[in-house]
Amino acid sequence: MRSLVVLAALVAGTATAVAADFQPPTTLPEGPFGEMIAKGEAIFTETKANAGPYVGNELSCRNCHLDRGRLANSAPMWAAFGLYPQYRAKNKSVNTFTHRIQDCFRFSMNGKKPEADSEVMVALQSYIFWLATGAPVGAKLPGQGYKLLPKPAEAPSPERGATVFAANCALCHGADGQGTKRAGGGYQFPPLWGPNSYNWGAGMHRVNTAAGFIKANMPFGRGGTLSDQEAWDVAAYVNSRPRPQDPRFTGDVADTRAKFHNDDDYYGVTLDGKVIGAEK
Ligand code: HEC
Ligand code: HEC
């Protein structure tokens, strides 16, 4: 009996060690599965170029799921795969993994849901299924999701955030946040607001989610250099700028806010005499 307990503890200890060090594979399998994975990786990396009909902006999955969905604490795909089906408060139902990906198309990509049996969906799922090779199923792994920051000392201020933005972000994302295009097409630095960015229903529009993402990863290559207060302030600035309408829009911003939003975001809030989210 006693040795069984010890054995169980050992096994549990091993499982934790494996999970903390989880490394997605790097060598593609041969054959049709490998080809499908490569298609999925291309969609994940250059989404508009490879899944155009479903994309309504100029973002790619990897702009928010960094290192092509591999980076811990940047909602890595290997940690997501085994957590579905899962109940989500956002749509008050049990979501399959297909449904979860469709939601990032609808909101983060401001686009349309790829059908469950479309090649885009099969390719993306093949890529993600492969990244999760050997990851435990049904367990929340270290590194899953985005790291949230503690609430700042002072309430986040878009006004202070504008100063942080000009000093630390404008160089890449543009003074007007509209991103910077590559010479050969597509974006080198993705748009943070405006018609080509994520819409008012996307997870990144929440100030807490953006603050955590920005603190860990931005300025790109120099994550962790902003103070927590600066990260919250610049997240408040970015997420109080205009962006595409929430696809759940009921015809009225206040009503849409009451139904689908909470206090972590600026949708429907009046700032400088304007109702945010009502602009065209
Ligand atoms: C604008 C940023 C952004 C873009 C672009 C984006 N996502 Fe996401 N994604 C998020 C956020 C934010 C979450 C929510 C993470 C959380 O639970 O806090 C998320 C969550 C997910 C999850 C669930 C993660 C988990 O741990 O449960 C999957 C799967 C996913 N995204 C896939 C995709 C795919 C595939 C694409 C491209 C078609 C994409 N995302 C594009 C921001 C983005
Ligand atoms: C050195 C260039 C650079 C700087 C400076 C920089 N970023 Fe980024 N940012 C990037 C790149 C590149 C990506 C996409 C990463 C990828 O695709 O691998 C990105 C992605 C993002 C995203 C998610 C995608 C999107 O378009 O919404 C946000 C939000 C963001 N940056 C905010 C900021 C903020 C806020 C600052 C200033 C504190 C900042 N960035 C500074 C290069 C930069």
Side-chain angles (χ1 to χ4, degrees):
M1 185 64 195
R2 187 160 186 184
S3 58
L4 262 185
V5 174
V6 173
L7 185 65
L10 270 177
V11 170
T14 316
T16 317
V18 169
D21 296 325
F22 184 78
Q23 294 293 336
T26 49
T27 313
L28 284 183
E30 307 259 328
F33 180 42
E35 284 160 28
M36 196 53 92
I37 296 169
K39 269 191 190 156
E41 181 163 19
I43 293 167
F44 201 89
T45 312
E46 291 295 337
T47 312
K48 189 172 181 178
N50 296 306
Y54 305 106
V55 177
N57 61 19
E58 295 287 348
L59 298 184
S60 289
C61 311
R62 67 114 209 271
N63 293 155
C64 302
H65 303 284
L66 299 187
D67 198 12
R68 290 167 296 140
R70 292 167 176 269
L71 187 69
N73 300 316
S74 186
M77 292 300 114
W78 46 262
F81 187 77
L83 286 182
Y84 293 78
Q86 162 190 134
Y87 180 82
R88 289 188 76 215
K90 181 165 184 167
N91 48 45
K92 300 187 179 60
S93 61
V94 174
N95 293 192
T96 60
F97 195 61
T98 301
H99 188 168
R100 184 67 192 84
I101 291 179
Q102 288 172 335
D103 264 14
C104 257
F105 273 97
R106 188 169 177 225
F107 298 105
S108 297
M109 308 300 298
N110 193 37
K112 288 199 300 251
K113 306 172 180 185
E115 306 73 28
D117 58 357
S118 61
E119 192 181 65
V120 163
M121 185 58 80
V122 172
L124 271 174
Q125 295 218 14
S126 300
Y127 175 55
I128 297 170
F129 172 64
W130 172 69
L131 285 177
T133 305
V137 169
K140 187 172 147 69
L141 297 179
Q144 186 269 336
Y146 294 97
K147 246 201 176 120
L148 291 180
L149 284 180
K151 288 267 175 220
E154 292 181 63
S157 150
E159 203 183 331
R160 282 194 308 265
T163 312
V164 178
F165 183 83
N168 299 283
C169 323
L171 180 68
C172 294
H173 292 288
D176 57 359
Q178 309 299 294
T180 311
K181 283 189 179 155
R182 240 193 316 263
Y187 276 67
Q188 181 168 18
F189 302 118
L192 301 187
W193 68 82
N196 295 322
S197 193
Y198 53 89
N199 68 38
W200 281 115
M204 196 60 88
H205 97 284
R206 292 193 309 256
V207 179
N208 58 347
T209 302
F213 173 84
I214 291 164
K215 167 83 186 193
N217 302 301
M218 296 294 144
F220 193 66
R222 287 190 292 128
T225 56
L226 296 181
S227 70
D228 286 11
Q229 185 72 54
E230 287 171 324
W232 278 98
D233 289 346
V234 78
Y237 175 65
V238 167
N239 281 336
S240 57
R241 304 302 98 196
R243 57 182 66 260
Q245 186 53 269
D246 189 329
R248 300 162 300 184
F249 189 51
T250 62
D252 178 72
V253 172
D255 180 57
T256 309
R257 176 172 178 84
K259 287 205 169 88
F260 302 113
H261 292 247
N262 60 34
D263 292 335
D264 283 323
D265 72 284
Y266 282 94
Y267 184 81
V269 169
T270 304
L271 190 73
D272 301 331
K274 281 196 199 126
V275 178
I276 296 176
E279 60 277 292
K280 286 270 153 358

